[in-house]
């Protein structure tokens, strides 16, 4: 914590400008890695989720016609994403009017909240700890906090698969996609990284709350689900390509994704899971139970190795290396560009 305070003290002495963009991105990444989301703090996703929940309850209460609910779903998707971005931008401008240092500090904290790297690591370790101690009952209970599948009767092997699938799927929408959109925003000086990254988090929150094919969200959430798939498509493919380049197996990953990931009902989850499966030499997918309903997901990769706690820790490192690669490339390009134009 003393390190964080020291870094922030130095950063707040800098003036707001083009160079602060790198500062915001770098410190936000550092804050997420070091402390994640402090327990008890109000998280932007909680605020976004509250708004989504209130709107959804009103629509479901007042309207029963599928067509009206679908129209309301379009309004929910566009309104939540655009509204979140605009409100965030306005808050940052207000903070900047008070003091540039306050704006920089606020941007760091808000952007750090968009990255879920520490949260993913903590969730995996939370389940692995009782599992490593041989306490399957507690491991199943812990796992149920993080996954939608039924966990009551899962074996140790199935628990490990569930953890790895969660880590590899959420590496995109929880870590890489927010960074991608932060970089997009950072490339537009008038906007900055934070409003665009938080707008994407709103899209991701919408999908997790209302993006279901079952009632009562089938009609209300259809637009949010499709939009989140669309927004995640490019960062997902770029993540797959980056993993392949870092570990020297791009051809094998891409070929396996073409044969295995395309069978997954999600246009993105199968690709990210497949990239991790190939890199780790394990097989993901198989039979899962959701509220008593059995669903068979396609197998991804080949079972060269068994899924183990070590493989899960390796998967977390893959995410970290990919994240740092993107961050480093953007910072180098940004520094080169600003130097070229004499900023």
């Amino acid at each position: 914590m003393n390190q964080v305070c020291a870094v922030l003290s130095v950063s707040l002495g800098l003036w707001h400008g083009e160079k602060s963009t790198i500062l915001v991105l770098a410190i936000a990444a550092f804050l997420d890695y070091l402390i994640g989301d402090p327990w008890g703090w109000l998280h932007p996703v909680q605020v976004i989720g509250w708004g989504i929940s209130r709107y959804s309850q009103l629509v479901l209460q007042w309207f029963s016609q599928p067509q009206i609910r679908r129209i309301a779903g379009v309004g929910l998707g566009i309104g939540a994403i655009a509204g979140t971005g605009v409100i965030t931008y306005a808050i940052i401008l207000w903070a900047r009017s008070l003091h540039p240092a306050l704006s920089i500090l606020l941007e760091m904290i808000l952007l750090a909240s968009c990255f879920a790297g520490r949260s993913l690591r903590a969730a995996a370790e939370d389940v692995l700890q009782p599992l490593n101690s041989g306490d399957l009952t507690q491991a199943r209970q812990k796992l149920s906090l993080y996954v939608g599948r039924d966990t009551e009767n899962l074996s140790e092997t199935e628990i490990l698969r569930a953890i790895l699938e969660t880590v590899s799927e959420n590496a995109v929408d929880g870590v890489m996609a927010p960074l991608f959109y932060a970089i997009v925003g950072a490339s537009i000086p008038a906007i900055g990284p934070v409003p665009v990254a938080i707008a994407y988090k709103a899209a991701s929150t919408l999908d997790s709350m209302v993006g279901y094919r079952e009632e009562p969200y089938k009609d209300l959430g259809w637009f949010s689900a499709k939009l989140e798939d669309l927004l995640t498509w490019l960062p997902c493919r770029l993540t797959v390509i980056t993993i392949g380049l870092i570990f020297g197996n791009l051809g094998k990953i891409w070929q396996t994704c073409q044969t295995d990931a395309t069978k997954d009902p999600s246009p993105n989850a199968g690709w990210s899971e497949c990239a991790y499966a190939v890199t780790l030499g394990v097989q993901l997918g198989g039979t899962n139970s959701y509220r008593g309903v059995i669903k068979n997901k396609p197998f991804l990769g080949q079972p060269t190795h068994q899924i183990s706690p070590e493989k899960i820790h390796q998967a977390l490192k893959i995410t970290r290396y990919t994240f740092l690669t993107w961050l480093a490339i953007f910072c180098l390009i940004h520094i080169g560009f600003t130097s070229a134009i004499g900023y």
Side-chain angles (χ1 to χ4, degrees), residues 19-98:
K19 293 180 181 179
S20 70
T21 299
I22 292 178
L23 185 70
V24 168
L25 281 166
I27 300 299
F30 179 69
L31 287 174
D32 175 64
Y33 176 78
L34 194 64
I35 61 177
D37 299 320
W39 184 261
W41 284 31
L42 181 65
H43 196 283
V45 169
Q46 291 177 283
V47 179
I48 296 168
W50 180 86
I52 294 170
S53 178
R54 291 293 300 160
Y55 180 92
S56 300
Q57 289 173 7
L58 291 174
V59 171
L60 295 175
Q61 180 181 349
W62 290 351
F63 306 107
S64 59
Q65 302 92 329
Q67 192 62 34
I68 295 179
R69 286 186 176 183
R70 289 175 72 85
I71 294 172
V74 175
L76 173 61
I78 296 175
I81 295 171
T84 299
V86 170
I87 291 171
T88 302
Y89 182 68
I91 292 173
I92 291 172
L93 285 182
W94 169 77
R96 192 176 303 167
S97 69
L98 297 178

Side-chain angles (χ1 to χ4, degrees), residues 85 88 178 180-186 188 191-201:
T88 302
F180 173 83
Y181 283 102
I183 290 173
V184 170
I188 309 172
I191 298 178
V194 183
V196 184
I198 288 192
Y200 174 79
K201 292 297 289 186

Side-chain angles (χ1 to χ4, degrees), residues 12 14 16 92-105:
L12 293 180
L14 303 176
H16 190 87
I92 291 172
L93 285 182
W94 169 77
R96 192 176 303 167
S97 69
L98 297 178
H99 197 285
L102 177 61
S103 172
I104 293 175
L105 177 60

Side-chain angles (χ1 to χ4, degrees), residues 162-174:
I163 300 172
L164 186 53
E165 287 176 350
T166 300
V167 167
S168 57
E169 177 182 351
N170 287 284
V172 172
D173 55 15

Side-chain angles (χ1 to χ4, degrees), residues 15 30 37 60 85 121 139 148 154 156 188 204 206 217 219 235 245 254 265 293 300 311:
W15 14 295
F30 179 69
D37 299 320
L60 295 175
R121 189 165 75 249
L154 294 184
E156 180 179 351
I188 309 172
S204 180
L206 279 164
Y217 299 114
D219 297 304
L245 291 174
W254 199 261
V293 178
L300 306 171
K311 291 294 182 182

Side-chain angles (χ1 to χ4, degrees), residues 54-244:
R54 291 293 300 160
Y55 180 92
S56 300
Q57 289 173 7
L58 291 174
V59 171
L60 295 175
Q61 180 181 349
W62 290 351
F63 306 107
S64 59
Q65 302 92 329
Q67 192 62 34
I68 295 179
R69 286 186 176 183
R70 289 175 72 85
I71 294 172
V74 175
L76 173 61
I78 296 175
I81 295 171
T84 299
V86 170
I87 291 171
T88 302
Y89 182 68
I91 292 173
I92 291 172
L93 285 182
W94 169 77
R96 192 176 303 167
S97 69
L98 297 178
H99 197 285
L102 177 61
S103 172
I104 293 175
L105 177 60
L106 180 62
E107 289 180 80
M108 290 174 184
I109 294 173
L110 289 175
L111 187 57
S113 73
C114 293
F115 302 143
R118 177 61 182 253
S119 298
L120 268 180
R121 189 165 75 249
E125 291 172 350
D126 192 35
V127 182
L128 286 175
Q129 184 176 6
L131 189 65
N132 291 334
S133 301
D135 191 342
L136 278 180
T137 300
Q138 188 178 11
R140 291 166 183 150
Q141 292 173 348
K142 294 283 189 180
L143 181 64
S144 68
L145 300 175
Y146 306 109
V147 300
R149 72 191 70 181
D150 300 330
T151 63
E152 295 86 356
N153 301 308
L154 294 184
S155 65
E156 180 179 351
T157 301
E158 291 170 323
I159 292 173
L160 288 169
R161 175 168 67 88
I163 300 172
L164 186 53
E165 287 176 350
T166 300
V167 167
S168 57
E169 177 182 351
N170 287 284
V172 172
D173 55 15
V175 182
M176 298 308 301
L179 176 60
F180 173 83
Y181 283 102
I183 290 173
V184 170
S187 303
I188 309 172
I191 298 178
V194 183
V196 184
I198 288 192
Y200 174 79
K201 292 297 289 186
S204 180
T205 305
L206 279 164
D207 182 58
S208 64
M209 290 185 66
V210 300
Y212 299 101
R213 298 180 181 180
E214 298 84 18
E215 296 295 350
Y217 299 114
K218 179 181 178 181
D219 297 304
L220 179 63
W222 73 275
F223 181 79
S224 295
K226 294 292 185 183
L227 186 57
E228 197 273 342
D229 285 343
L230 180 64
L231 292 173
T232 307
W233 191 93
L234 181 57
C236 177
R237 270 62 182 177
L238 291 175
T239 299
V240 170
I241 291 171
T242 306
I243 291 173

